[in-house]
Amino acid sequence: MNNKKGDSIQIAREYLDSLMVEGRIVGAVHPTAEITLFGQKAESPIMTAALSHLKRGMADYAQGAKDAGTLCQIGMGDNEELGAALATGAKIIKIIKPYAAPGEIISRLRFAEEHGAVAVGMDIEHAVNVEDDADSAVAGHQMKLPTLDELKRYISATKLPFLIKGALSVQDAVHAKELGCAGVILGHHNGLLPWAVPNVSLLPSIRKAVGDDFVLIIDGGIADGFDAFKALALGADAVSVGRPLMPPYDEKGAEGVTEVLNAMTNQLKAMMLRTDSPDVKHIDPGVIHEASWRRL
């Protein structure tokens, strides 16, 4: 593990590992992990993260999520690539970069809506550099931190549920809800924010601020179904997984993605059984106990 000072990935890992779970096995029943998100039924709340530029292509990635019965987030890429992924029949959430050119954003929003995506989002945190406050360039495309008015225009430009990716506070979540978003994806884009507070630790306070009808998805730091259980218990509607999928995807393509997602869902259900949690909406947060932990 990287021991770099301020490593937000390591901080999140330590926090998740500090969360203990109490057992409630007497009278427990075999659970279901099924959820409904954006009107779509899924067999698991564990979905793929919004990855990009995969060597086997995004269609293979999407097929893996479909075969696991779950949703698929797709990141940067052109409309042709998105179209190929949507053609698999996967339930896709398209995450769009904060391009400096509004037309780039609008065209991707419209394509996603017209070709069957279930939701869209924007990873706002990728708009600026890590070492200064200048707008960033990503894969040769210039980005721009959108204003509130610009966000309103993008949200109103589509009929699809709109998510803001990269929110990491009660303030961000409340702003997103006020703007008309359907939810937020909580994370820091693989460490773009040094010393970032663990996203899972924010769930109870954010859930209290935004209510039950606002979607909260944890992005980053989820290594297995046991981590997913902790996030769901504390208020997440779903979690996304990226890094654990990569080696199996590189080796087996869609089959590898499906195998990992299914294994994680089985781990989640094992935890649900042992905590008397019949379904995802009825995981009692009281089963989670926070032990002391140390940030490096």
Side-chain angles (χ1 to χ4, degrees):
M1 182 177 288
N2 188 355
N3 291 315
K4 180 180 68 175
K5 182 178 179 181
D7 185 347
S8 296
I9 297 171
Q10 182 175 350
I11 291 169
R13 181 69 264 156
E14 288 192 358
Y15 180 76
L16 275 167
D17 287 344
S18 79
L19 299 178
M20 307 294 106
V21 182
E22 73 174 57
R24 298 179 182 180
I25 194 66
V26 177
V29 298
H30 289 282
T32 175
E34 293 178 357
I35 63 166
T36 299
L37 202 63
F38 310 125
Q40 305 294 318
K41 291 184 178 180
E43 295 177 22
S44 174
I46 304 172
M47 67 177 74
T48 64
L51 301 184
S52 309
H53 313 301
L54 300 181
K55 68 179 184 181
R56 288 179 177 265
M58 300 310 300
D60 221 22
Y61 188 62
Q63 185 68 52
K66 179 190 175 185
D67 292 344
T70 191
L71 280 73
C72 174
Q73 292 183 57
I74 285 183
M76 194 174 192
D78 59 24
N79 286 339
E80 182 179 359
E81 184 177 52
L82 175 60
L86 286 165
T88 66
K91 299 172 181 177
I92 290 177
I93 302 171
K94 170 60 176 176
I95 304 299
I96 299 167
K97 293 294 181 190
Y99 296 100
E104 293 282 350
I105 296 171
I106 297 299
S107 71
R108 284 165 170 75
L109 290 173
R110 290 177 177 169
F111 187 93
E113 181 177 324
E114 292 168 1
H115 290 80
V118 303
V120 292
M122 180 177 290
D123 55 348
I124 294 176
E125 82 282 13
H126 220 173
V128 292
N129 295 327
V130 176
E131 300 292 342
D132 56 43
D133 69 340
D135 289 332
S136 65
V138 181
H141 295 270
Q142 185 60 47
M143 302 294 144
K144 176 187 176 299
L145 186 65
T147 66
L148 290 177
D149 286 340
E150 287 168 340
L151 282 173
K152 288 178 184 178
R153 288 199 295 272
Y154 298 142
I155 293 166
S156 64
T158 179
K159 297 177 182 178
L160 293 175
F162 195 105
L163 302 165
I164 286 180
K165 180 175 182 289
L168 200 59
S169 64
V170 170
Q171 175 175 305
D172 278 352
V174 170
H175 280 333
K177 186 172 185 179
E178 291 172 346
L179 287 167
C181 289
V184 291
I185 301 172
L186 298 168
H188 46 66
H189 206 109
N190 202 30
L192 287 184
L193 174 64
W195 295 110
V197 61
N199 49 8
V200 171
S201 73
L202 294 171
L203 281 167
S205 57
I206 292 177
R207 178 58 72 197
K208 181 178 180 180
V210 298
D212 293 335
D213 60 346
F214 191 73
V215 174
L216 302 180
I217 300 173
I218 286 292
D219 179 68
I222 302 299
D224 50 37
F226 308 122
D227 288 343
F229 173 83
K230 295 175 183 180
L232 294 164
L234 291 175
D237 294 291
V239 302
S240 63
V241 177
R243 285 188 175 191
L245 299 178
M246 288 301 90
Y249 164 84
D250 289 341
E251 180 181 352
K252 298 182 179 180
E255 181 183 355
V257 172
T258 301
E259 288 177 355
V260 173
L261 292 172
N262 285 343
M264 287 187 174
T265 298
N266 287 337
Q267 291 169 340
L268 167 63
K269 291 169 72 174
M271 292 293 279
M272 293 172 67
L273 172 64
R274 290 175 173 83
T275 56
D276 193 21
S277 307
D279 55 59
V280 172
K281 287 294 185 182
H282 291 89
I283 302 176
D284 184 352
V287 302
I288 303 296
H289 299 265
E290 185 173 346
S292 61
W293 62 291
R294 177 173 63 92
R295 293 184 182 181
L296 297 183

